[in-house]
Amino acid sequence: MSSVTLQGVSKSYGAVAALRTMDLEIAQGEFLTLLGPSGCGKTTTLRLVAGFIAPSSGRILFGGDDVTDLPVQKREIGMVFQDYALFPHMTIADNIGFGLVERGRRPAEIASKVNELIQLIRLPGVENRFPAELSGGQQQRVAVARAVAHSPRVLLMDEPLGALDLKLREAMQAEISAIQRALKITTVYVTHDQSEAMSMSDRIAVMNDGVVEQLGSATEIYNRPASRFVASFVGQINLVEGDFAGIEGAWAAVSVGGTKVHVAAPEWIAGRVTIGVRPEQLSIRPAEGSLPAGTNALPGTVRSSMFAGHIFKVEIDAGTAAPIVVETHPNAPVPAVGARVRVAWNAPNAVVLAS
Ligand code: ATP
């Protein structure tokens, strides 16, 4: 297996820039996910790495070897698609061993590899069945085994769980992660599902309109989103508009409708700013009384509250463009609708967002 490097890679179809210039270094053995909404360029990027399409500019390297001009069959990749694409008239064993037969490997070697992979995907006993005799999740595990049987340099997966229902998807996320870790295979994974990306990836490239807006671990992207787009696409976030009111010690002061709050300041902070705070970082406090040092608080009125089993979701009208959503522990007391309160958070738990 290899590292994968994209150097200034772009792809245009006539006037449509499917992928603007991308520079990306994927480490050997890393699980990297391309995450973004429909049409942002995820599949285009994957197809460029695979060699199904040629870039309009830039170079693609596997482990330092320039593969830009190599056709797909010479790149030694493994691919998994949403629709499994198993051969319906071949047994499971023949499906898994297909790439090895094509490469002229000895029957004993093929049998041993197929057996090893059947154990890895935890489906012993299915060797002689046909794909139609397996469930969707089982078929997808076979598709993964087939994709890795020839020890490809890179494993590419395009929405592989898209056809499965939610419960099965979650189980399969764990399965695929375990297989990827066991084989330590460099993997590029495409999904539009943020929870899938967060639970499986070493790093996530969040894409928007043909550009990587942020590259980082799940926690970096969730806790320190680099832009409004990333903050809103990955999880729920409250966006609070305010005016920069100067630096005070380690913090930037921002006036939100006349109330001063403090945030960690990016260098570019100026003028009108947007603060992002996740609902689970907020708490509801009494309208009056002192708060611990370092607590930001905005006055407001309880607009609604909804019990969602594991949380209470409370909306507070605080003079912001949209009501502020607070998620509280289901055992915490929830003030009545109409009550005057303050919505509070610790200063380090908010971010200033670029638009
Ligand atoms: P989805 O999640 O819907 O599959 P995506 O993020 O994978 O979306 P891409 O398939 O990479 O998006 O497409 C990126 C952009 O390039 C889109 O605007 C798409 O319409 C355009 N595009 C992709 N393939 C072609 C093509 N063969 N000809 C013209 N435009 C294309």
Side-chain angles (χ1 to χ4, degrees):
M1 73 213 65
S2 304
S3 59
V4 175
T5 309
L6 279 76
Q7 293 177 340
V9 173
S10 71
K11 181 67 185 177
S12 297
Y13 295 101
V16 178
L19 183 67
R20 294 162 208 274
T21 310
M22 185 189 262
D23 289 289
L24 186 60
E25 184 83 48
I26 306 164
Q28 186 171 323
E30 182 174 15
F31 192 120
L32 180 118
T33 296
L34 304 171
L35 171 70
S38 182
C40 71
K42 307 178 295 290
T43 296
T44 299
T45 307
L46 202 74
R47 290 168 64 79
L48 286 163
V49 175
F52 291 120
I53 51 174
S56 304
S57 69
R59 311 302 299 173
I60 298 167
L61 286 75
F62 287 0
D65 301 335
D66 191 329
V67 298
T68 317
D69 302 320
L70 276 188
V72 57
Q73 63 277 14
K74 293 244 169 86
R75 289 197 187 185
E76 287 296 310
I77 54 157
M79 285 239 32
V80 181
F81 302 94
Q82 181 175 329
D83 61 2
Y84 325 136
L86 295 176
F87 305 117
H89 304 299
M90 282 188 189
T91 63
I92 299 308
D94 288 346
N95 263 283
I96 295 175
F98 180 78
L100 298 172
V101 174
E102 265 199 322
R103 286 169 179 79
R105 303 287 171 77
R106 287 181 298 109
E109 182 193 342
I110 296 171
S112 149
K113 189 74 196 179
V114 168
N115 184 43
E116 179 193 317
L117 286 169
I118 292 256
Q119 303 301 327
L120 182 66
I121 62 171
R122 300 190 305 109
L123 287 177
V126 302
E127 290 84 342
N128 297 319
R129 286 204 224 161
F130 290 90
E133 296 168 343
L134 298 185
S135 72
Q138 290 170 333
Q139 288 185 50
Q140 197 52 301
R141 274 141 74 182
V142 172
V144 173
R146 185 183 59 178
V148 299
H150 62 287
S151 304
R153 301 182 80 176
V154 184
L155 176 61
L156 305 174
M157 293 195 256
D158 194 354
E159 300 267 7
L161 308 180
L164 306 177
D165 66 46
L166 182 65
K167 267 241 146 66
L168 188 52
R169 260 183 106 105
E170 287 173 357
M172 283 295 294
Q173 288 165 15
E175 292 274 353
I176 291 181
S177 287
I179 296 169
Q180 193 271 343
R181 276 198 306 273
L183 299 174
K184 298 186 179 64
I185 187 165
T186 312
T187 300
V188 187
Y189 190 97
V190 163
T191 183
H192 64 271
D193 180 331
Q194 40 119 351
S195 66
E196 189 162 300
M198 292 209 280
S199 65
M200 299 177 79
S201 319
D202 293 318
R203 282 189 306 162
I204 301 168
V206 184
M207 296 182 67
N208 183 28
D209 200 16
V211 172
V212 174
E213 289 229 355
Q214 188 169 5
L215 177 65
S217 68
T219 50
E220 282 164 0
I221 281 170
Y222 189 79
N223 294 329
R224 296 281 135 204
S227 67
R228 248 179 118 119
F229 171 81
V230 174
S232 304
F233 190 76
V234 180
Q236 266 210 347
I237 197 157
N238 294 290
L239 300 175
V240 177
E241 304 276 342
D243 295 294
F244 177 54
I247 296 293
E248 295 181 5
W251 304 100
V254 174
S255 169
V256 179
T259 303
K260 190 157 77 172
V261 298
H262 291 101
V263 291
E267 276 171 16
W268 46 261
I269 192 165
R272 195 89 180 134
V273 300
T274 304
I275 300 169
V277 201
R278 302 279 182 199
E280 69 274 17
Q281 298 293 354
L282 293 167
S283 61
I284 300 169
R285 302 297 184 104
E288 306 292 336
S290 64
L291 294 171
T295 306
N296 288 315
L298 296 174
T301 307
V302 177
R303 177 197 177 97
S304 69
S305 77
M306 196 187 78
F307 180 56
H310 64 303
I311 49 153
F312 258 104
K313 210 168 208 175
V314 185
E315 286 188 319
I316 312 275
D317 282 322
T320 46
I324 293 183
V325 177
V326 184
E327 287 178 3
T328 64
H329 191 276
N331 297 342
V334 176
V337 170
R340 299 281 307 155
V341 294
R342 280 175 295 175
V343 57
W345 69 94
N346 291 331
N349 293 338
V351 284
V352 177
L353 297 165
S355 54

